[in-house]
Amino acid sequence: MTASNSNMPANFIEGIIDEDLKYNRYGGRVHTRFPPEPNGYLHIGHAKSICLNFGIAGKYGGLCNLRFDDTNPTKENVEYVESIKEDVRWLGFDWGDRLYFASDYFEQLYRYAVQLIKAGKAYVCDLSPEEIREYRGTLTEPGKESPYRNRSVEENLDLFERMRAGEFPDGSRVLRAKIDMSSPNLNMRDPVLYRIQRATHHRTGDKWCIYPMYDFAHPLSDAIEGITHSICTLEFEDHRPLYDWVLDALGFGEGRPKQIEFARLNLSHTVMSKRKLRMLVEEGYVSGWDDPRMPTISGLRRRGYTPGAIRDFCERIGVAKSNSLVDIAMLEHCIREDLNFSAPRVMAVLRPLRVVIDNYPEGRVEMLDAENNPENPDMGSRKIPFSRELFIERDDFMEDPPKKFFRLAPGREVRLKHAYIIKCERVVKDEQTGEVVELHCTYDPGTRSGSPTSTRKVKGTLHWVSAGHAVGCEVRLYDHLFLKENPEEDEDFMANINPNSLITLTSCLVEPGLAGAAPGSRYQFLRQGYFCVDPDSTADRLVFNRIVPLKDSWAKIQKAVGNGPDKR
Ligand code: ATP
Ligand code: MG
């Protein structure tokens, strides 16, 4: 990871930490946490939070915990816990022995609640959920106090204990903080701290029938773990007074955790909430959480993204205080930059058209030298077979081309990459459909790439594979999941789904060296883009995902505004 090499704070959060260190507010400690709720798979927005929390701990020689915020048993499960651990590790971060669960604190949180009741700061309320909402008031009208607000401490202690013991039906009673029903901040109008809910928890089973609310569990989990800086997204800004109230009311003083909010990541042409992503999965719009079109970490991994490219992206977008929409082209730019140097360049024909070289001897095979990556000479070279029958890309031939078509056409010449200059002599068509099915060409033996006799130049260079040697495969081409830049601004975001977000090509051909390539292997297919072997591949059938095409619209944007992409 590219760590900032100056002592300047990289963002406003580091500015706050620098101040805290200067005044020795936490005894020199920096301790953050990443607190996912295990109710879905992580997405690229979470990656931003992971990079930020673990990144800060790394930079300041501090610690970062992984804590599951598992206070909502009906929506959470072990599958999600395991996927989240895998994703954080894959991104390159290590929580050491600090894997925690809010559910591990249930007993302690219960005791804190009792302490609040004893201090006259919490009460059991019998209003129904609808009544609580009604009594809460609105932004312009103050709320109304619950008729149960002034129960005695003894009665509250008794009722709360019986809530825990399972004496009351779900939803019949709650524990509420006694704060201020006329507060301008709705979160401070006697918020609910505990609810009754008979649901089996993935860790605590049926031990509990009352569960703490996020706003109660979160500050206390932070305090229990000795977190110094509790970094969260902007929508929690209005919850900060409650975060502080809970800690105050329970006597946490000096050195207690401090909540800091930053803008969440929104990415164009996709949605970024687990609830919406779950809808896509459950309603079958995608094949699963790890569908390569999903903005989930598992989807990006399967698509072929590298952890380094995702970390680089998170660093480039920075940390700000106001929400914005990041162009997905910037994420694509980051993976291109990475793979431009690291991925071997090979030839693949996605929509094959047969070419016969009439003057090339039948049965002859030449093994030609092909460099693996001109940007990275250390990657060496390989041999590829050339023979009388080849395939080129269907799009690389036009029977009646415009003038600037520098590819193949009747009577025209092109170079075949790493091989010879060929000339198109004759076109064979299907008698019924008129479709071009085969080209007959001649080659110029003196033009072999790299040979001293090869001095002739032509405008176009095409990729190709040898018909008798190429390996058949499937290629999946992806496009944005949503047509609109910001699908989330519409109530019915599903209406905006891109019907062509996946195109599957089943008769593609790659050069023979790719036979048996392992899932996860990444390549540049010359002139086409970056591709990754999908886990759906089997020993006798390769499946490739297109990570990104070659064209880099982000680099273009940067160039246009006079701020070219970093040269490395
Ligand atoms: P979602 O709405 O997608 O379910 P969430 O905030 O409910 O997201 P959590 O599991 O509670 O998901 O989030 C874990 C951490 O990741 C939180 O600190 C949250 O603020 C942060 N986070 C979630 N989404 C984003 C995002 N888009 N950008 C940056 N951080 C995010
Ligand atoms: Mg959440």
Side-chain angles (χ1 to χ4, degrees):
M1 224 163 112
T2 42
S4 145
N5 50 10
S6 77
N7 289 325
M8 289 290 288
N11 53 55
F12 77 94
I13 298 178
E14 292 189 11
I16 293 172
I17 294 174
D18 289 344
E19 278 281 304
D20 290 342
L21 290 172
K22 187 168 149 199
Y23 294 104
N24 202 29
R25 289 197 185 112
Y26 299 97
R29 292 189 312 117
V30 174
H31 200 154
T32 57
R33 83 288 171 266
F34 172 63
E37 184 184 352
N39 63 346
Y41 282 62
L42 297 183
H43 51 60
I44 180 91
H46 294 112
K48 176 176 179 180
S49 176
I50 293 167
C51 290
L52 183 59
N53 279 294
F54 280 94
I56 281 177
K59 176 166 176 179
Y60 289 91
L63 299 169
C64 180
N65 297 355
L66 174 60
R67 181 204 314 141
F68 287 95
D69 230 320
D70 55 348
T71 54
N72 209 351
T74 55
K75 293 190 177 146
E76 299 162 359
N77 69 48
V78 178
E79 176 197 345
Y80 297 142
V81 170
E82 290 310 314
S83 76
I84 290 169
K85 283 158 65 179
E86 184 185 356
D87 288 350
V88 174
R89 247 186 252 118
W90 180 77
L91 276 174
F93 298 105
D94 182 6
W95 54 86
D97 57 0
R98 294 173 317 283
L99 172 64
Y100 299 118
F101 292 83
S103 56
D104 290 343
Y105 310 139
F106 280 171
E107 192 62 49
Q108 207 167 346
L109 294 173
Y110 178 83
R111 288 202 304 271
Y112 281 129
V114 168
Q115 197 180 323
L116 280 185
I117 294 172
K118 285 184 175 161
K121 290 175 178 167
Y123 62 98
V124 173
C125 180
D126 303 356
L127 293 179
S128 68
E130 299 75 48
E131 287 167 325
I132 290 181
R133 212 171 305 127
E134 241 169 74
Y135 276 58
R136 186 172 291 132
T138 63
L139 282 173
T140 50
E141 279 167 59
K144 247 186 348 191
E145 293 192 350
S146 160
Y148 305 98
R149 196 173 200 259
N150 294 313
R151 277 178 162 151
S152 69
V153 169
E154 289 66 37
E155 190 183 1
N156 280 321
L157 284 175
D158 174 61
L159 287 171
F160 188 50
E161 199 180 313
R162 290 164 61 197
M163 277 171 64
R164 175 181 182 167
E167 285 190 29
F168 311 120
D170 285 12
S172 61
R173 290 194 157 96
V174 291
L175 183 74
R176 297 177 71 174
K178 195 170 182 175
I179 309 180
D180 179 4
M181 288 308 292
S182 59
S183 169
N185 185 336
L186 292 167
N187 294 307
M188 298 299 270
R189 295 185 186 171
D190 291 10
V192 174
L193 305 180
Y194 267 89
R195 68 226 192 260
I196 306 174
Q197 194 173 20
R198 283 169 181 78
T200 304
H201 188 283
H202 64 101
R203 287 177 66 82
T204 58
D206 294 317
K207 179 162 183 225
W208 294 87
C209 66
I210 56 171
Y211 289 97
M213 302 299 286
Y214 173 88
D215 281 329
F216 182 66
H218 200 82
L220 291 170
S221 302
D222 284 344
I224 290 167
E225 292 174 16
I227 300 303
T228 56
H229 300 86
S230 179
I231 302 168
C232 64
T233 36
L234 277 181
E235 66 272 23
F236 290 101
E237 198 165 19
D238 289 346
H239 296 242
R240 184 172 0 116
L242 179 51
Y243 184 99
D244 290 334
W245 182 92
V246 168
L247 295 179
D248 268 338
L250 289 164
F252 289 94
E254 210 48 15
R256 72 184 202 197
K258 152 167 29 185
Q259 178 179 307
I260 304 169
E261 309 88 17
F262 71 100
R264 60 192 296 126
L265 166 66
N266 300 302
L267 203 56
S268 65
H269 299 289
T270 190
V271 291
M272 197 81 88
S273 110
K274 279 180 279 184
R275 187 181 60 80
K276 290 176 182 165
L277 295 173
R278 192 180 311 107
M279 276 172 78
L280 292 171
V281 174
E282 284 171 358
E283 297 182 21
Y285 287 98
V286 294
S287 64
W289 285 96
D290 70 343
D291 185 298
R293 290 167 290 179
M294 292 280 271
T296 51
I297 297 180
S298 49
L300 292 168
R301 172 166 64 234
R302 181 164 180 179
R303 175 93 165 240
Y305 273 82
T306 59
I310 294 176
R311 291 195 304 258
D312 181 29
F313 170 73
C314 290
E315 190 156 328
R316 283 168 191 246
I317 57 178
V319 179
K321 261 278 183 200
S322 61
N323 284 313
S324 64
L325 186 66
V326 174
D327 192 336
I328 198 166
M330 185 164 164
L331 178 62
E332 295 172 346
H333 174 72
C334 292
I335 187 65
R336 281 192 196 94
E337 280 231 320
D338 185 344
L339 297 182
N340 182 40
F341 288 89
S342 61
R345 299 184 184 187
V346 298
M347 295 199 283
V349 175
L350 304 191
R351 297 171 177 91
L353 174 62
R354 183 178 293 270
V355 169
V356 181
I357 315 278
D358 289 329
N359 62 339
Y360 196 84
E362 224 156 318
R364 176 157 154 201
V365 178
E366 272 175 282
M367 296 306 288
L368 304 177
D369 267 321
E371 61 185 342
N372 288 327
N373 189 338
E375 297 280 344
N376 186 351
D378 289 349
M379 291 177 72
S381 65
R382 67 192 183 286
K383 296 277 187 193
I384 49 171
F386 184 86
S387 65
R388 181 181 155 89
E389 290 202 17
L390 314 169
F391 284 102
I392 64 165
E393 210 67 59
R394 197 158 270 281
D395 284 355
D396 281 338
F397 173 79
M398 269 180 99
E399 203 178 3
D400 189 15
K403 202 146 189 256
K404 292 220 159 145
F405 184 79
F406 299 121
R407 295 181 250 172
L408 206 53
R412 292 203 190 170
E413 281 189 322
V414 292
R415 173 171 288 285
L416 294 179
K417 182 74 179 171
H418 305 306
Y420 297 96
I421 290 175
I422 61 166
K423 181 175 184 184
C424 178
E425 309 282 1
R426 186 160 63 85
V427 179
V428 181
K429 292 185 188 173
D430 183 304
E431 277 176 17
Q432 239 93 87
T433 63
E435 188 195 13
V436 175
V437 290
E438 191 171 286
L439 304 178
H440 282 262
C441 299
T442 49
Y443 86 115
D444 177 348
T447 59
R448 180 167 155 172
S449 290
S451 97
T453 57
S454 176
T455 50
R456 218 145 66 70
K457 292 236 182 313
V458 286
K459 277 242 158 105
T461 301
L462 307 187
H463 60 274
W464 54 275
V465 291
S466 164
H469 303 88
V471 173
C473 62
E474 175 175 322
V475 172
R476 299 172 183 169
L477 303 177
Y478 302 103
D479 195 358
H480 302 325
L481 208 38
F482 292 91
L483 295 166
K484 263 184 123 165
E485 234 192 349
N486 186 4
E488 285 186 293
E489 68 191 8
D490 289 353
E491 194 60 35
D492 181 18
F493 72 98
M494 297 284 235
N496 191 243
I497 269 195
N498 177 1
N500 301 315
S501 61
L502 168 60
I503 292 172
T504 303
L505 304 175
T506 53
S507 44
C508 311
L509 295 162
V510 289
E511 56 180 76
L514 268 60
S521 312
R522 303 177 185 90
Y523 301 92
Q524 184 191 113
F525 290 175
L526 283 180
R527 299 176 61 226
Q528 322 239 30
Y530 293 99
F531 292 77
C532 181
V533 181
D534 189 84
D536 278 352
S537 288
T538 59
D540 34 46
R541 179 141 184 95
L542 278 170
V543 177
F544 289 93
N545 295 318
R546 183 172 70 191
I547 311 170
V548 280
L550 281 185
K551 194 170 134 254
D552 189 343
S553 51
W554 182 255
K556 272 197 196 137
I557 296 166
Q558 291 300 290
K559 216 169 166 188
V561 298
N563 186 9
D566 308 5
K567 285 271 170 286
R568 290 189 211 161

